[in-house]
Amino acid sequence: MPGSPGGRAGRPPVRRTAQRPAAARPGRDNAVRTLVTRARKAWDRPLTAYYLILGGSSLITVLGLVMVYSASQVTALQMALPGSYFFRKQLLAAVIGAGLLLAAARMPVKLHRALAYPILAGAVFLMALVQVPGIGMSVNGNQNWISLGGSFQIQPSEIGKLALVLWAADLIARKQEKRLLTQWKHMLVPLVPVGFMLLGLIMLGGDMGTAIILTAILFGLLWLAGAPTRLFVGVLSVAGLIGLVLIKTSPNRLDRFACVGSGDVSKCWQAVHGIYALASGGFFGSGLGASVEKWGQLPEAHTDFIFAVTGEELGLAGTLSVLALFAALGYAGIRVAGRTEDPFVRYAAGGVTTWIIAQAVINIGAVLGLLPIAGVPLPLFSYGGSALLPTMFAIGLLIAFARDEPAARAALAMRQPRFGRKRASGSAAGRRTGRKPDRAFGRIPGRESAGGSGRGSGRRSGAGSGQGSGQGPSRWNTMRRRASAARSSGER
């Protein structure tokens, strides 16, 4: 019977109510799956690396300017200088660095390769000039600076990082093109001897931190070149042995290693007060300019330990934001190096990424008490024009490489105004029919009222007018299909 429970009128209400939650779960699962799919598509877009590099480096630089202004005011006042003294110098360096970044981003790859040898020669000359008495100057016990007059100084070892990346990338790429990397002699010579020469010039001035970063760049390039494990371990063992000797022969370096994880304020003043600054920040910090440790308690608050001041004023949220920006920058660099077909681009992008991430890890690890204090700045963030300018030029290299990918070039070429082309197509159709196009839809008013669709009226018209009236909507529909395909592909 229709009204009976077993009839066709439907199931009892109790059963329908029990099945509603089960029917809602697939909807939520599908929504989550759709969201994950869209995120993956957005993450895999051709211009993702380009936007990550440009946006991440810009945010790090701007946030660094803010923190330099906040952390350096007390130091400037203690030196009888205006409170914005260090900020103005850093801002000037950032403006010059922005020009270098734009220039590097617009340079073709061939020009980058041509500049490798001149930059290396200039860096070696300046690094040797540091050791000349009367020209080189010592800062915090390290003889690695050249005075340019007044308060302006230059640290040639920072240029040496960029020089090693460009020159080594060009060298390994040329050897790969000639298929010489299968021989260990061509793998090591002259890359390792030139790298050790730069390390020797740096160590003459006593700058152990920069030497560690240069070593990381060298090993990163060897790893990208596909060095065998035995060769890699052999070179690493030699470098480790040399570093151990240099550490054992220097009481200052031994004290830095002894301060790792130590809470002795009398022996590890800077390391312990860096931890104090991070611990007092909490989740959201004490506010910009409200740091206590920068008032003479924390040495180098605006340079090597600016991350500690960031943690105190911006809290855990600020420090995690900085870490996330560096992680995005590192991912984008690895993506550029992994997706290119040009060997030079692969090695140069990998070298720049190794340089920036290794230096950030060493600086942040020292502030957290996990690594010895190496005396290196946080890239793009700490005060120092000598470190900022080569780093921004290197970021320009990554941007140029990210733009040079075939898919990225196609996506950038499609970023043209589509509506202008639509209006132009509609105007052309209007000129063929002698009527004005409708701006909203690109069709000729009255076409359908003349006897059906444009396609049907074209068939009923004469040879001349029917052909013209039929081709206008057809071409317009083709352009619409192309524009819809471009929007759905996500390459914007």
Side-chain angles (χ1 to χ4, degrees):
M1 295 177 62
S4 62
R8 302 178 61 182
R11 297 179 180 178
V14 178
R15 293 185 180 180
R16 272 201 304 268
T17 306
Q19 288 183 356
R20 285 178 185 175
R25 287 182 182 177
R28 288 197 297 267
D29 294 341
N30 292 335
V32 173
R33 191 177 304 163
T34 302
L35 183 62
V36 172
T37 303
R38 290 180 179 178
R40 287 180 179 177
K41 288 183 179 180
W43 196 253
D44 290 335
R45 287 180 179 178
L47 292 177
T48 298
Y50 170 74
Y51 288 131
L52 284 178
I53 296 170
L54 182 60
S57 59
S58 301
L59 289 175
I60 294 173
T61 305
V62 172
L63 183 58
L65 287 172
V66 174
M67 293 311 304
V68 165
Y69 180 68
S70 175
S72 64
Q73 292 182 3
V74 176
T75 305
L77 294 175
Q78 289 175 349
M79 299 172 63
L81 296 171
S84 60
Y85 173 77
F86 293 104
F87 168 75
R88 286 180 293 173
K89 290 185 64 176
Q90 186 75 356
L91 180 61
L92 176 62
V95 172
I96 299 174
L100 293 176
L101 186 149
L102 293 176
R106 293 295 180 179
M107 287 182 185
V109 176
K110 292 183 179 180
L111 184 55
H112 288 304
R113 300 186 69 167
L115 290 176
Y117 284 86
I119 293 178
L120 177 65
V124 171
F125 174 75
L126 291 175
M127 291 169 68
L129 204 63
V130 169
Q131 307 304 323
V132 177
I135 298 179
M137 58 182 302
S138 177
V139 177
N140 294 330
N142 294 335
Q143 183 81 13
N144 54 3
W145 295 83
I146 295 178
S147 177
L148 300 179
S151 60
F152 293 95
Q153 303 166 355
I154 185 174
Q155 188 176 2
S157 58
E158 295 291 339
I159 306 175
K161 301 174 187 176
L162 177 64
L164 178 62
V165 169
L166 288 177
W167 174 79
D170 178 69
L171 174 69
I172 300 174
R174 285 189 290 106
K175 289 193 174 187
Q176 180 176 338
E177 293 170 358
K178 297 178 181 180
R179 298 181 179 179
L180 297 175
L181 293 180
T182 55
Q183 306 176 21
W184 68 271
K185 294 181 180 179
H186 289 283
M187 179 74 71
L188 296 180
V189 181
L191 176 61
V192 174
V194 172
F196 280 1
M197 178 190 66
L198 294 175
L199 288 173
L201 290 174
I202 293 173
M203 290 307 301
L204 283 176
D207 191 357
M208 188 71 177
T210 305
I212 294 174
I213 297 170
L214 211 67
T215 305
I217 296 173
L218 181 61
F219 284 114
L221 290 169
L222 286 175
W223 183 77
L224 289 173
T229 305
R230 293 176 298 174
L231 187 64
F232 198 84
V233 172
V235 178
L236 183 61
S237 301
V238 173
L241 181 61
I242 295 175
L244 183 62
V245 172
L246 293 174
I247 292 171
K248 287 289 186 180
T249 56
S250 174
N252 185 25
R253 298 188 187 112
L254 284 175
D255 293 339
R256 292 184 181 183
F257 274 89
C259 289
V260 176
S262 176
D264 191 354
V265 182
S266 60
K267 296 181 180 180
C268 308
W269 179 274
Q270 188 177 21
V272 173
H273 278 276
I275 298 297
Y276 288 168
L278 291 172
S280 60
F283 285 99
F284 300 104
S286 57
L288 279 174
S291 171
V292 176
E293 290 293 333
K294 68 182 180 182
W295 287 85
Q297 302 295 325
L298 181 63
E300 306 297 335
H302 61 296
T303 54
D304 301 344
F305 271 69
I306 194 171
F307 188 77
V309 180
T310 303
E312 186 178 4
E313 295 187 351
L314 301 183
L316 182 63
T319 55
L320 290 181
S321 300
V322 174
L323 292 176
L325 290 174
F326 276 108
L329 194 59
Y331 166 78
I334 294 173
R335 175 170 169 165
V336 170
R339 293 196 174 190
T340 183
E341 298 294 336
D342 191 340
F344 172 79
V345 173
R346 182 183 302 111
Y347 298 130
V352 170
T353 306
T354 303
W355 162 17
I356 295 176
I357 299 304
Q359 186 167 332
V361 168
I362 292 173
N363 177 275
I364 296 174
V367 174
L368 295 176
L370 303 176
L371 295 174
I373 300 175
V376 296
L378 189 59
L380 301 173
F381 201 84
S382 297
Y383 169 78
S386 295
L388 183 63
L389 296 182
T391 307
M392 294 193 74
F393 187 89
I395 294 296
L397 286 177
L398 290 180
I399 293 175
F401 299 155
R403 290 168 55 94
D404 197 54
E405 292 182 11
R409 286 201 304 266
L412 288 173
M414 293 179 64
R415 292 175 56 189
Q416 302 294 333
R418 302 187 183 94
F419 295 102
R421 289 183 289 181
K422 292 179 181 178
R423 287 196 296 267
S425 176
S427 300
R431 286 195 298 270
R432 286 194 298 269
T433 58
R435 300 181 183 181
K436 294 183 179 181
D438 186 280
R439 292 186 178 181
F441 301 98
R443 297 180 180 178
I444 300 174
R447 174 72 57 85
E448 297 182 0
S449 62
S453 64
R455 198 175 293 175
S457 62
R459 287 193 297 266
R460 287 191 297 268
S461 303
S465 61
Q467 186 177 358
S469 61
Q471 286 180 355
S474 176
R475 294 186 180 182
W476 166 242
N477 292 335
T478 302
M479 293 188 67
R480 288 186 64 185
R481 287 195 297 270
R482 291 178 181 175
S484 300
R487 284 194 296 268
S488 63
S489 64
E491 296 179 357
R492 301 183 63 181

